[in-house]
Amino acid sequence: HLLLFLLFVGPFNCFASYSRATELFYSLNEGLPAGVLIGSLARDLRLPTAGSQQAASLQPPLSFTLASHGLGGQYVQLDNRSGELHTSAVEIDREALCVESSGATIFGGSAAVSSSSPSPESCLLLLDVLVLPQEYFRLVKVKIAIRDVNDNAPRFPVPHIRLSVPENAPVNTRLAIEHPALDPDMGTNGVQTYRLRDNYGVFTLDVEENENGERTPYLIVMGALDRETQDEYVTVIVAEDGGTPPLMGSATLTIGISDINDNCPQFNDSQLNVTLYGNSSLGTHVATVHAVDMDLGSNAQITYSYSQKVPQTSRDLFYLNESTGAITLSTKVDGDTPRLHRLIILGNGPGCIPAVITVLVTIIKVVMRPPEVVPRFIANEVEGVVYLKELEPINTPIAFFTIKDPDEKYKVSCYLDGDGPFRLSPYKPYNNEYLLETTKPLDFETQQLYEISVVAWNSEGFHVKKVVKVQVLDDNDNSPVFSEQLIELSIEENNVPNAFLTKLHATDADSGERGQVSYFLGPDAPSYFALDKTTGVLTVSTQLDREEKEKYRYTVKAVDSGFPPRESIATVTITVLDKNDNSPRFINKDFSFFVPENFPGFGEIGVISVTDADAGQNGWVALSVLNGSDIFVIDTGKGVLRAKVSLDREQQSSYILWIEAVDGGDPALSSTAKITILLLDINDNPPLVLFPQSNMSYLLVLPSTLPGSPITEVYAVDKDTGMNAVIAYSIIGRRGPRPESFRIDPKTGNITLEESLMQNDYGLYRLLVKVSDHGYPEPLHSTVMVNLFVNDTVSNESYIESLLRKEPDISVEEKQPQISIEPTHKKMESASCMPTLVALSIISLGSIALVTGMGIYICLRKGKKHHRADENLEVQIPLNGRINLHMLEKKPVEISNI
């Protein structure tokens, strides 16, 4: 819409627009945060400000708009209504905006142009703002000057600056430092000064500023320099700006002192005196002169030459090496050769006056020639050095020596001078031939070099010495040696993977590659151990468990690099130390013990077996009873469970205990087990008769009761269990008119009538019943008296009670009750004896019946006459319990409780 509006009004208001163009100038520091007020366009243009009455009446209201949102627009925020200009969230960095160092750069909404009259430190943002509506329309040129702040420290372009100064540089020599410090800040915030942290008393710095304001540091020499005294100075150059506070940057400054030819050659001595035998051979070394020049390189190059004063005869006799200064005999001395030679030698250096030394050579006339020693080497020899391997055998030949007299006038002898395993002996059958050989094996590790001399002398005392050097060559004759043959290590279990164990060390006395040692694990080493071949570091790659394996023993090898290689073996033992990582473990989680009741107190009930895989104190286990500790106790060391008191099954038949096992580790680990104690019954309770309740009770039995009818019962219980509680009933004593008339069931205790009752069977029957269990080893029993009164009625109750109070005269039968628990016996039958047995049984039964009938009749007659006063039928037996008297429901006859 704004573009259409401008296109419409543009042709008609061109001159007016130019005439109404306005320019505003603002300034602010770089690096300000967002929201800082730069200026109010409405106020500075004297337009109605927002909130005023005049501004409120404008329709449409005043609006301020940036003509373009270019580079400059991102740094400011313009309020369209109030015309206030603020900094935006994009921080203004003057050094990033104004990259030009010469003149100011102005950044506008869409282009950058140079200011008409900028100051050297100007940095401007140009904004074009449109003011609407039409009556206030104008184009406002806003210039924002960005003021510099000291936010950058000086920085050298390189961290190390090198500068070379000749040693003859005069005082006040100025040398420019080619890498001055740079500071993006302007004016006083830029680099102002330079200084040296250490000037060594011979340097200082000066700063020169050119017409563009650039400052260049200069190194100034303040004292004399001498490269031969000190050839280099190392210090730190510091650049400092003018900000408040000032910021600094530094770099290392190395000042090298370059050499000049300020030194000349010099001899240590001015004269050398040398003596030479007249019979010396050609090439004999006479002397060596040596001069020194303290300069470097070509400035120190020295050549040697004879002075012009040296005669030509001396020049011809002695050769001078111009490079080394060595003087040798170049021609043979004869009788015409002068005996004294004065050799003046010059040491020449570039640009220097030569140094001078005089060599006086005195030639001694020799009438006879000394003996000659001529070697012929057998062993390998290079430039007078013989090379022998250390493993060479005894009597290894080294060289032949021929000893002779050149004049063939004198006898010549020789001997070997020097220490070592060598021997010089005549080599027969030749004369003057000698053999040099070894006397024992050589050992490189003991001594590597021997220097011996073959000395020859004649009868006139002249000696000649021939020096022989023997270099022993190393061979791989030594195996690596471990510092310890048995390497004992220890490590705690549950270690971290790749844990360090030790660093093996072996040495090899051989040299070079033959002495380089590599390390290897033996074939018996577990795969989870690793040994670094080069360093000998032994590690374990996995966690070790002492409970799985406590000791490791294997071999390691140290192998040298010789050919063939030699090796040695050591043994590694590793003890895995225990940690408390295992809880006590019971053999069973549930233990069951069967204990007979009435077991004596503190008797051994059973042993609780518990183990702990840990060792030492970690594996020590203490046992305790968690419940029932008032009755039971456990032996901590042996695990023996005991009861403090005797146990009664009838009071409690079983016990459940919880046993805790705690080890001795820190922290301690524990586990629990369940213990079940079952009490086995023993026969310690006799049967308890519950009915009849008293020996004085009786029952009325009517004479009309039919045979087989139940009369009453004896009921008893036994607190024991099993066979100890199986009860048998038996009648062990009888008293009455016909006592065999009643029988008792041995299993149920039911008493029944066996035979019909007759008139003479009336009266009181007293049955002594034995109630016995089947306990082992001996059954227990109780007895009770069952009283039966056979009559139609009870006419005299007091009389019956008086009879019951009397002691009964009853003979006790020892017949045991027969209860068939299991069929264990079989009837024996004999077909051959059957007729005889039947006949005898019939005769016997008839006789017994006749005698019995007569006896009963006589007894009854006597009883009626004396009213049975002589009967003594009372037997008083105490009973062990009481229950309510009850009668059986099924009775074919009437039985009354009297």
Side-chain angles (χ1 to χ4, degrees):
H1 296 159
L2 177 62
L3 178 61
L4 293 173
F5 174 78
L6 292 176
L7 291 174
F8 179 77
V9 303
F12 303 101
N13 299 284
C14 181
F15 296 103
S17 297
Y18 278 107
S19 63
R20 299 178 68 180
T22 306
E23 184 178 89
L24 294 178
F25 181 81
Y26 300 103
S27 65
L28 77 161
N29 291 339
E30 62 174 325
L32 294 178
V36 176
L37 179 64
I38 301 174
S40 176
L41 302 184
R43 183 183 65 243
D44 296 335
L45 294 173
R46 293 183 175 84
L47 297 175
T49 58
S52 65
Q53 184 176 2
Q54 184 180 2
S57 61
L58 291 176
Q59 290 297 329
L62 279 174
S63 66
F64 300 86
T65 307
L66 288 174
S68 175
H69 294 277
L71 179 62
Q74 65 178 325
Y75 297 103
V76 297
Q77 287 182 341
L78 177 62
D79 190 305
N80 294 337
R81 296 299 180 187
S82 65
E84 290 184 348
L85 198 61
H86 296 83
T87 57
S88 69
V90 180
E91 184 179 292
I92 298 176
D93 185 359
R94 183 184 183 281
E95 289 73 35
L97 289 175
C98 302
V99 294
E100 300 285 345
S101 59
S102 59
T105 302
I106 305 171
F107 292 86
S110 58
V113 298
S114 180
S115 175
S116 58
S117 58
S119 65
E121 297 182 0
S122 297
C123 179
L124 301 179
L125 276 178
L126 277 185
L127 302 174
D128 291 339
V129 180
L130 295 175
V131 182
L132 295 174
Q134 178 63 28
E135 57 267 27
Y136 292 99
F137 171 76
R138 66 186 66 190
L139 176 64
V140 181
K141 298 283 188 178
V142 179
K143 294 182 179 180
I144 303 174
I146 309 302
R147 293 192 296 268
D148 183 47
V149 297
N150 191 25
D151 56 348
N152 292 280
R155 186 177 62 86
F156 286 91
V158 293
H160 198 147
I161 302 172
R162 298 191 64 88
L163 195 63
S164 179
V165 181
E167 62 177 327
N168 63 342
V171 176
N172 293 326
T173 298
R174 300 170 67 87
L175 300 170
I177 297 176
E178 297 180 355
H179 301 284
L182 304 176
D183 192 328
D185 296 325
M186 299 295 294
T188 57
N189 292 332
V191 178
Q192 299 296 316
T193 59
Y194 292 87
R195 58 185 173 86
L196 295 176
R197 286 187 183 173
D198 186 359
N199 56 20
Y200 295 95
V202 293
F203 299 105
T204 187
L205 288 179
D206 190 17
V207 179
E208 291 185 3
E209 184 174 355
N210 60 15
E211 59 184 7
N212 294 326
E214 296 177 350
R215 295 175 180 268
T216 302
Y218 282 82
L219 181 70
I220 302 177
V221 179
M222 300 298 294
L225 302 177
D226 185 4
R227 189 205 62 81
E228 288 73 32
T229 303
Q230 185 169 352
D231 61 353
E232 187 178 73
Y233 297 88
V234 179
T235 184
V236 176
I237 180 172
V238 180
E240 186 174 315
D241 63 22
T244 304
L247 301 178
M248 292 177 289
S250 62
T252 301
L253 177 62
T254 300
I255 305 170
I257 308 302
S258 59
D259 184 54
I260 63 169
N261 191 24
D262 57 347
N263 291 280
C264 290
Q266 292 182 351
F267 288 105
N268 293 331
D269 299 314
S270 60
Q271 181 173 311
L272 287 178
N273 297 318
V274 179
T275 300
L276 181 67
Y277 288 104
N279 59 351
S280 297
S281 58
L282 297 179
T284 300
H285 179 266
V286 179
T288 299
V289 295
H290 180 68
V292 177
D293 192 323
M294 298 300 293
D295 292 326
L296 290 176
S298 60
N299 293 332
Q301 187 174 358
I302 301 174
T303 60
Y304 302 93
S305 63
Y306 284 124
S307 171
Q308 296 295 329
K309 297 180 181 180
V310 178
Q312 188 63 40
T313 56
S314 297
R315 293 170 181 260
D316 296 337
L317 184 63
F318 301 105
Y319 170 73
L320 174 63
N321 190 310
E322 65 177 8
S323 299
T324 63
I327 303 173
T328 56
L329 185 65
S330 59
T331 59
K332 193 174 182 62
V333 177
D334 55 21
D336 297 332
T337 302
R339 300 304 174 198
L340 181 64
H341 296 266
R342 186 181 185 90
L343 305 177
I344 301 174
I345 300 174
L346 305 178
N348 305 295
C352 290
I353 298 175
V356 180
I357 187 172
T358 302
V359 179
L360 291 176
V361 181
T362 302
I363 298 177
I364 300 176
K365 183 178 180 181
V366 179
V367 177
M368 53 173 286
R369 290 182 293 174
E372 293 182 357
V373 178
V374 180
R376 288 171 292 165
F377 291 99
I378 302 172
N380 183 28
E381 179 267 340
V382 178
E383 296 182 356
V385 180
V386 177
Y387 295 91
L388 289 178
K389 291 184 178 181
E390 61 175 332
L391 296 182
E392 293 290 348
I394 301 175
N395 300 326
T396 296
I398 299 175
F400 280 113
F401 288 89
T402 301
I403 309 299
K404 63 181 179 179
D405 180 17
D407 298 328
E408 298 181 354
K409 297 180 179 179
Y410 305 98
K411 181 180 179 181
V412 180
S413 301
C414 72
Y415 65 91
L416 188 64
D417 185 24
D419 297 328
F422 305 101
R423 176 177 58 222
L424 183 66
S425 57
Y427 190 74
K428 296 180 180 180
Y430 303 103
N431 293 326
N432 299 329
E433 293 288 345
Y434 293 85
L435 176 64
L436 178 63
E437 58 185 354
T438 61
T439 58
K440 62 181 181 179
L442 303 177
D443 187 3
F444 175 85
E445 288 71 37
T446 302
Q447 187 170 346
Q448 293 86 38
L449 181 65
Y450 295 89
E451 187 170 320
I452 55 178
S453 300
V454 176
V455 182
W457 82 98
N458 60 17
S459 56
E460 295 299 321
F462 282 97
H463 290 73
V464 174
K465 180 184 293 186
K466 181 64 176 180
V467 178
V468 178
K469 294 181 179 180
V470 178
Q471 176 69 55
V472 182
L473 301 178
D474 187 28
D475 209 335
N476 194 30
D477 60 337
N478 290 279
S479 299
V481 178
F482 280 99
S483 56
E484 295 177 298
Q485 286 299 314
L486 178 60
I487 304 165
E488 297 179 323
L489 307 173
S490 63
I491 183 174
E492 280 194 343
E493 63 176 331
N494 303 330
N495 55 282
V496 297
N498 300 317
F500 172 83
L501 293 175
T502 189
K503 183 176 182 179
L504 303 182
H505 180 66
T507 57
D508 193 314
D510 294 323
S511 63
E513 291 185 355
R514 293 174 290 272
Q516 294 179 1
V517 180
S518 300
Y519 301 91
F520 302 93
L521 290 172
D524 54 345
S527 60
Y528 40 83
F529 288 96
L531 180 60
D532 189 277
K533 175 182 177 181
T534 305
T535 63
V537 173
L538 181 63
T539 57
V540 56
S541 62
T542 186
Q543 282 190 345
L544 299 180
D545 187 357
R546 189 204 66 82
E547 289 72 37
E548 180 179 339
K549 190 170 183 181
E550 184 177 5
K551 295 281 188 179
Y552 293 88
R553 184 183 181 93
Y554 53 86
T555 57
V556 291
K557 295 191 299 182
V559 183
D560 63 21
S561 301
F563 183 80
R566 301 175 69 96
E567 66 180 40
S568 62
I569 297 176
T571 300
V572 175
T573 62
I574 301 174
T575 301
V576 183
L577 303 179
D578 184 54
K579 293 180 72 175
N580 192 28
D581 57 345
N582 290 278
S583 301
R585 183 177 181 182
F586 289 93
I587 300 300
N588 299 311
K589 295 303 293 181
D590 294 326
F591 291 84
S592 296
F593 297 107
F594 296 88
V595 181
E597 64 174 331
N598 301 331
F599 195 69
F602 292 97
E604 182 177 324
I605 295 175
V607 177
I608 311 300
S609 298
V610 62
T611 60
D612 193 314
D614 294 322
Q617 186 173 352
N618 294 332
W620 180 85
V621 180
L623 298 174
S624 61
V625 181
L626 297 180
N627 63 323
S629 58
D630 53 340
I631 299 177
F632 296 94
V633 65
I634 192 167
D635 187 335
T636 297
K638 299 180 179 179
V640 177
L641 182 64
R642 306 176 190 273
K644 299 179 183 178
V645 296
S646 179
L647 304 177
D648 187 359
R649 189 201 64 79
E650 285 72 37
Q651 292 183 4
Q652 186 171 340
S653 62
S654 65
Y655 296 87
I656 295 179
L657 304 179
W658 289 96
I659 303 297
E660 182 183 37
V662 181
D663 63 21
D666 183 18
L669 302 177
S670 64
S671 62
T672 57
K674 180 183 178 182
I675 312 297
T676 302
I677 301 174
L678 301 174
L679 297 183
L680 301 177
D681 184 51
I682 63 172
N683 196 25
D684 59 343
N685 292 283
L688 176 65
V689 179
L690 302 180
F691 183 81
Q693 292 180 321
S694 171
N695 290 335
M696 299 300 291
S697 62
Y698 64 94
L699 291 173
L700 175 64
V701 181
L702 299 178
S704 60
T705 304
L706 298 177
S709 298
I711 305 302
T712 185
E713 70 172 341
V714 176
Y715 179 71
V717 294
D718 195 315
K719 294 182 180 179
D720 296 321
T721 60
M723 295 301 297
N724 295 330
V726 176
I727 299 175
Y729 302 89
S730 63
I731 300 175
I732 62 172
R734 301 170 184 267
R735 186 70 174 170
R738 190 153 57 99
E740 293 83 4
S741 302
F742 301 96
R743 70 176 294 275
I744 189 168
D745 188 300
K747 293 183 178 180
T748 64
N750 290 332
I751 298 175
T752 57
L753 181 64
E754 287 289 297
E755 301 174 356
S756 298
L757 298 174
M758 295 181 292
Q759 185 66 31
N760 56 357
D761 292 335
Y762 285 28
L764 182 63
Y765 290 79
R766 308 197 75 175
L767 305 177
L768 181 60
V769 178
K770 180 180 180 181
V771 183
S772 176
D773 61 24
H774 283 67
Y776 179 84
E778 183 175 352
L780 302 179
H781 69 274
S782 300
T783 58
V784 65
M785 187 68 73
V786 178
N787 301 304
L788 303 175
F789 185 64
V790 179
N791 201 7
D792 292 327
T793 62
V794 179
S795 59
N796 191 349
E797 187 175 342
S798 60
Y799 169 72
I800 298 174
E801 292 177 356
S802 65
L803 292 177
L804 293 176
R805 283 191 294 269
K806 294 180 180 181
E807 288 283 342
D809 184 12
I810 299 177
S811 60
V812 177
E813 302 173 2
E814 294 301 329
K815 183 179 180 181
Q816 294 295 328
Q818 298 297 323
I819 299 179
S820 178
I821 304 304
E822 291 182 5
T824 58
H825 301 284
K826 295 182 180 180
K827 293 182 179 181
M828 302 291 292
E829 296 183 355
S830 177
S832 62
C833 299
M834 185 61 67
T836 305
L837 290 175
V838 171
L840 290 175
S841 299
I842 293 173
I843 296 171
S844 299
L845 289 175
S847 300
I848 292 172
L850 178 61
V851 173
T852 302
M854 291 177 66
I856 292 173
Y857 177 76
I858 294 171
C859 291
L860 290 175
R861 292 294 297 270
K862 288 182 180 181
K864 289 180 179 180
K865 290 181 180 180
H866 301 288
H867 302 285
R868 296 174 182 164
D870 55 347
E871 289 184 5
N872 187 10
L873 300 175
E874 284 190 35
V875 178
Q876 189 71 24
I877 299 176
L879 300 178
N880 294 328
R882 299 186 63 182
I883 63 172
N884 293 330
L885 183 62
H886 65 279
M887 300 298 294
L888 293 174
E889 294 179 359
K890 297 180 180 180
K891 293 182 175 59
V893 296
E894 183 180 354
I895 300 175
S896 300
N897 184 12
I898 303 174

